[in-house]
Amino acid sequence: MVEREGIPCTDPTRTLIDLGAVVVDDILERALEDALRRGLTSVSRLRWRGRQLARPGRAGPAALRRVLERRPQGAPPTESDLETQFLQCLRAAGVREPVRQHRLRLTDGTMVRLDDAYPEELLFVELDGWAATAVGQLSARTGAARTRSCCSAGARCGFTWTDVVEKPERVAAEVAPALAERATGCA
């Protein structure tokens, strides 16, 4: 227990475990990735505390274990809720998870960090959330130039918040064949 302004509260690790008892795994995963992104807890702490609290009939630790098991070992947290939902839509469609926050050297020598990538297939994914699309013209021009550079290096997919949240089946239906095409060398 921690105390905030005289009020006893659970810490973020315990809160995530308790949350697992009352929400579906996808919601727990979104909360977990947010807590990791903000540095409120760590995967090792979550595993340790989950083991401590595991008991027959206690759903929270079991849900947390399931969510942690689907994370690639050593993967960084997603950088946004949109990225988490993107990974969930791929998983729901049976598409293997990409590498998160992949670094790529462009032809001009510039290093960029892409949201998600399948480096062996040279398939890269960029996601544009509400904040990215609302920043303005300068950002749009910079983003377009970056996208063109990434395309020359093999990038194939870019999705918006609306695509991922409102049409996840369509997103997965675009990634899966592009991934298969690149894997067989037909691109």
Side-chain angles (χ1 to χ4, degrees), residues 101-120:
Q101 287 85 51
H102 179 70
R103 296 202 177 281
L104 174 69
R105 184 175 305 279
L106 301 177
T107 54
D108 67 0
T110 305
M111 288 296 290
V112 295
R113 193 227 19 98
L114 300 166
D115 294 329
D116 294 289
Y118 297 94
E120 291 179 15

Side-chain angles (χ1 to χ4, degrees), residues 36-49:
L36 293 173
R37 181 171 46 254
R38 296 180 352 175
L40 301 176
T41 190
S42 67
V43 170
S44 60
R45 180 164 176 71
L46 287 163
R47 287 186 195 285
W48 168 77
R49 192 70 171 120

